[in-house]
Amino acid sequence: MPGAGTDKTRNWIATAGPIIVLVEPQLGENIGAPARVMANFGLGRLRLVKPRDGWPNVQAQRSASGADRILEGVALFDTVKAALADSARAKHMHGEADAAADV
């Protein structure tokens, strides 16, 4: 069984798992703390929609305390719709989010 994302002695979880989306986080700590929790539970995909203080953020790195892999893989988006449209879905599924991703 793989360990948590902060355990450097074990392999990182290979399965995708859920995606966490933070919408307009105001402080770096509001990004780093969830990244740390995600690492503790083996989640690896974090998306940010318009972080107020920009990205990358030193305070986020400090409060993530070992969840570097998650912060390195952060994806930035301008809208929630774009963040959701980018999620991995079966190619035969089409809808409003797909149209937004093509714009």
Side-chain angles (χ1 to χ4, degrees):
M1 179 174 154
T6 56
D7 185 352
K8 305 285 192 246
T9 65
R10 297 186 177 221
N11 292 332
W12 184 247
I13 292 177
T15 56
I19 297 169
I20 307 300
V21 179
L22 300 178
V23 180
E24 298 180 6
Q26 294 189 13
L27 304 171
E29 291 88 344
N30 294 344
I31 300 167
R36 171 69 181 182
V37 172
M38 289 173 62
N40 286 340
F41 288 94
L43 303 176
R45 298 188 295 170
L46 177 61
R47 295 182 177 166
L48 301 178
V49 178
K50 294 196 293 186
R52 183 188 72 180
D53 293 343
W55 189 255
N57 185 293
V58 175
Q59 293 301 329
Q61 292 173 331
R62 288 181 185 154
S63 62
S65 145
D68 300 329
R69 292 184 216 179
I70 293 170
L71 295 182
E72 290 168 3
V74 163
L76 293 174
F77 296 91
D78 290 330
T79 65
V80 173
K81 192 179 234 183
L84 298 177
D86 189 58
S87 64
R89 298 190 288 168
K91 298 298 179 193
H92 69 277
M93 296 178 68
H94 298 285
E96 187 177 332
D98 288 333
D102 293 336
V103 174

